[in-house]
Amino acid sequence: MENQQPPLEADLPTEQMEADPTKVFNDPIHGHIEFHPLLVKIIDTPQFQRLRNIKQLGGAYFVYPGASHNRFEHSLGVSYLAGKLAEVLSAKQPELDITSTDILCVQIAGLCHDLGHGPFSHMFDKRFIPKARPDITWKHETASVAMFDYLVEDNDLKPAMKRHRLTLPEDLDFIKEQIAGPPDTDAAGGPEWPYRGRPKEKSFLYQIVSNKENGIDVDKWDYFARDTYHLGMQNNFDHNRFLKFARVCDVGGQKHICTRKKEVGNLYEMFYVRHSIHRKACQHAVVNIIEFMITEAFLKADKHIQIEGSGGQMFTLSTAIDNMEAYTKLTDHVFQQILNSLSPELEEARLILRNIVRRRHYRYLGEIQADEPVRVTQDTLDSWTAALAGAVPQKGSNHVPLLPEDFVVDVVDMDYGMKDQNPVDKMYFYDKEKKTEADKKDKRKVSKLLPDKFSEQLIRVYYKKTNGKEAKKHFKRWRKEMEPPNLDDDMDDDEEGGSSTAANSAGQN
């Protein structure tokens, strides 16, 4: 029977135990970290090794020369931190009955949570796929689960999982639920416990890798430390301090990972670090337009790129997500494949990528900060580009007509991780003298200097052609007509060219 408990490791022959060695990685963030033999088996698969060739910060590498790290090392870091947090909780609170199998499953989930990322990470799932296949709703977490299933089957890992005391299929369900959430999304908001892998008594285990409650999880801890390190920025959040004060408390019949009340300020600092990384790097004006240009190139190349999947079936860039064998072969290398291609069908895509390499980016004209978020549709974007092209700079001036298709309007939503909500409001805190009781902390009692809003929307405008000065005049006129006119007008004249000055300020000198 599949769910029959395998023999204990102590009962295994010595040669079988030695066949599954541990491995030590020297990580620049966490130092020397050792991985369980089963984690090593997962790491040494083509599906996981694929992550070596997917940039963690996508197009940011074209602006920040240090941002060359990949999803591979981030996934190692998340797995390490997931195990560390689970072990800390187990040592502090033996009554939680956290087993070695629980810890191993949490580590596997951390290791595999990003298996589904496509070329240039979030550019693929947030820009390319929505435009290439607007008829589907697709997230990289969905692909991570599908890729994990394929990894297990393609590498015949179930015997090794059983050998290391995993119970199948329950533990496989647990791992996948940590990555993507409950299998029935409708049940997640209902009274019934929505998960199959672990009972409600171990609900806190689902808050380690990807915390759906408040966003405080080890995935963020690793990318805060790793991204700031490679970007040359400061990380003011210390996850090791959080580990010192982490405890599990029962709140309303459900167990939550909590921290000391005095740590509330550090959590606000944590989410500010997240906002800073997004504002300065992930959503940097030039990074965004580079990813927009790569997306344009991929869309033009889509049907001309053929990737062989299972059974010899061929897939394109946008359909490879439907077949994990094909998707395993799709990484950032497709950029170079298009750039170095001699195919006439790829000429338009090739020209766009050549412009990126030669730093001939679309010109950044400026941005508007909306007072309230606007629901943006394609019709909204079309109306804005038409208005930009039709805006007359000054009465009586020699108006130069511009085309709507030469403008790019990029809407950027930035927040603390939970849209307009304060994520710290979802966190529970315990008192030093009452470690078994926890409640929420009122922001007004923390500090009067904390933000009142936790999200903002930026409307950025770019121009594709070389006559940037005329386009800038159109933008300024359009900005005055937009409501609210909430834009800082202190832009230097030498910034009208846009991309070069902005890139220099970000890190490319």
Side-chain angles (χ1 to χ4, degrees):
M1 294 179 65
E2 175 146 270
N3 61 356
Q4 184 176 354
Q5 188 67 262
L8 299 178
E9 290 186 24
D11 298 330
L12 296 175
T14 303
E15 62 272 15
Q16 192 172 6
M17 292 287 290
E18 292 177 348
D20 294 342
T22 62
K23 184 177 288 187
V24 175
F25 290 82
N26 184 7
D27 182 69
I29 306 303
H30 306 297
H32 290 84
I33 52 181
E34 186 172 3
F35 283 91
H36 185 281
L38 183 56
L39 299 177
V40 175
K41 282 188 172 293
I42 294 172
I43 292 168
D44 293 339
T45 64
Q47 293 79 16
F48 190 85
Q49 292 290 318
R50 165 183 178 271
L51 297 179
R52 288 185 183 272
N53 298 305
I54 296 177
K55 288 284 180 292
Q56 171 80 3
L57 292 178
Y61 184 41
F62 288 94
V63 176
Y64 287 88
S68 59
H69 55 304
N70 300 293
R71 290 281 161 184
F72 179 87
E73 48 266 39
H74 165 63
S75 297
L76 297 182
V78 175
S79 180
Y80 164 72
L81 289 177
K84 194 170 182 181
L85 177 54
E87 289 167 357
V88 164
L89 295 175
S90 178
K92 285 182 183 177
Q93 298 173 269
E95 70 275 10
L96 295 174
D97 190 29
I98 300 175
T99 67
S100 59
T101 301
D102 290 336
I103 295 174
L104 183 55
C105 287
V106 168
Q107 289 176 304
I108 294 172
L111 191 67
C112 297
H113 79 289
D114 273 349
L115 285 175
H117 269 295
F120 297 93
S121 290
H122 286 295
M123 185 215 79
F124 190 81
D125 62 317
K126 292 185 177 180
R127 289 186 182 272
F128 174 68
I129 290 296
K131 289 186 177 181
R133 301 183 64 179
D135 55 317
I136 68 169
T137 299
W138 182 84
K139 296 180 179 180
H140 77 269
E141 291 90 348
T142 306
S144 292
V145 169
M147 186 66 83
F148 176 71
D149 282 336
Y150 175 59
L151 180 154
V152 171
E153 293 298 327
D154 189 54
N155 298 280
D156 192 25
L157 290 186
K158 287 184 179 179
M161 289 179 166
K162 292 178 181 178
R163 192 162 67 246
H164 291 288
R165 304 180 67 182
L166 265 65
T167 301
L168 309 183
E170 289 89 344
D171 286 336
L172 286 176
D173 288 339
F174 177 43
I175 293 165
K176 291 186 285 187
E177 288 169 345
Q178 291 178 79
I179 296 171
D184 183 358
T185 54
D186 293 332
E192 299 297 325
W193 179 242
Y195 295 102
R196 294 195 296 255
R198 289 296 183 273
K200 193 174 182 179
E201 292 72 27
K202 291 192 174 183
S203 56
F204 60 92
L205 292 175
Y206 288 96
Q207 298 174 0
I208 294 176
V209 174
S210 179
N211 192 336
K212 303 295 190 294
E213 298 285 333
N214 52 42
I216 301 171
D217 51 49
V218 298
D219 179 23
K220 290 184 180 62
W221 297 357
D222 183 82
Y223 89 69
F224 291 167
R226 196 171 302 277
D227 290 0
T228 53
Y229 174 84
H230 287 283
L231 290 165
M233 296 179 183
Q234 186 70 34
N235 176 22
N236 292 326
F237 174 73
D238 184 359
H239 59 262
N240 289 310
R241 182 176 175 85
F242 187 98
L243 289 170
K244 295 291 184 183
F245 297 104
R247 288 188 64 85
V248 173
C249 300
D250 192 305
V251 182
Q254 184 169 320
K255 289 183 169 59
H256 294 265
I257 297 177
C258 306
T259 190
R260 280 272 299 275
K261 289 184 177 180
K262 69 174 184 175
E263 294 303 302
V264 62
N266 291 331
L267 292 186
Y268 278 105
E269 191 71 40
M270 176 189 130
F271 285 105
Y272 183 74
V273 170
R274 180 190 185 277
H275 174 73
S276 296
I277 293 172
H278 280 258
R279 179 82 190 222
K280 296 176 182 178
C282 302
Q283 304 295 347
H284 181 277
V286 181
V287 172
N288 276 12
I289 201 58
I290 287 173
E291 292 196 344
F292 183 92
M293 293 174 72
I294 297 173
T295 299
E296 276 194 329
F298 281 13
L299 289 169
K300 292 180 182 297
D302 186 10
K303 62 182 180 181
H304 304 297
I305 300 291
Q306 295 293 305
I307 306 167
E308 184 176 0
S310 57
Q313 187 177 357
M314 304 304 292
F315 296 86
T316 67
L317 288 181
S318 62
T319 61
I321 60 175
D322 299 328
N323 184 275
M324 291 300 105
E325 184 174 332
Y327 197 42
T328 302
K329 302 172 184 177
L330 184 57
T331 64
D332 289 2
H333 87 282
V334 72
F335 183 104
Q336 296 296 327
Q337 181 183 346
I338 297 169
L339 182 66
N340 299 320
S341 170
L342 300 177
S343 170
E345 291 85 1
L346 294 175
E347 177 61 31
E348 288 185 89
R350 187 161 56 242
L351 179 60
I352 295 172
L353 298 188
R354 282 178 179 171
N355 285 336
I356 293 174
V357 172
R358 296 171 182 174
R359 298 198 59 75
R360 297 171 181 168
H361 307 150
Y362 300 158
R363 293 173 177 268
Y364 174 60
L365 302 180
E367 69 182 29
I368 295 172
Q369 188 178 70
D371 278 352
E372 295 295 334
V374 179
R375 183 179 178 275
V376 179
T377 65
Q378 188 58 49
D379 289 340
T380 308
L381 297 176
D382 291 342
S383 67
W384 284 346
T385 54
L388 280 159
V392 180
Q394 288 181 342
K395 292 183 179 179
S397 66
N398 294 324
H399 173 50
V400 179
L402 303 176
L403 299 175
E405 56 265 31
D406 291 332
F407 287 94
V408 175
V409 179
D410 189 33
V411 180
V412 179
D413 293 302
M414 284 188 281
D415 53 51
Y416 272 35
M418 300 190 72
K419 297 185 178 180
D420 61 343
Q421 298 182 52
N422 177 5
V424 183
D425 284 345
K426 308 286 185 179
M427 183 69 181
Y428 293 97
F429 301 86
Y430 66 86
D431 189 85
K432 181 180 180 180
E433 307 301 328
K434 298 179 180 179
K435 294 182 178 180
T436 60
E437 301 176 12
D439 54 22
K440 295 181 179 179
K441 189 80 172 176
D442 190 335
K443 180 174 76 74
R444 293 171 296 180
K445 297 180 180 179
V446 177
S447 172
K448 295 184 182 299
L449 298 179
L450 294 175
D452 292 323
K453 289 189 175 183
F454 294 88
S455 65
E456 63 179 348
Q457 186 180 72
L458 304 177
I459 303 170
R460 291 175 175 158
V461 179
Y462 304 82
Y463 188 63
K464 296 182 180 181
K465 298 294 182 67
T466 57
N467 54 334
K469 289 188 177 181
E470 288 299 326
K472 185 62 176 291
K473 293 176 183 178
H474 281 244
F475 168 74
K476 286 183 176 180
R477 179 65 179 176
W478 175 76
R479 182 183 60 190
K480 290 179 181 179
E481 296 172 354
M482 286 284 288
E483 293 182 356
N486 208 10
L487 179 72
D488 183 0
D489 202 21
D490 296 332
M491 182 177 287
D492 297 333
D493 290 339
D494 64 352
E495 287 190 274
E496 290 199 64
S499 59
S500 296
T501 302
N504 288 340
S505 68
Q508 177 149 341
N509 295 312

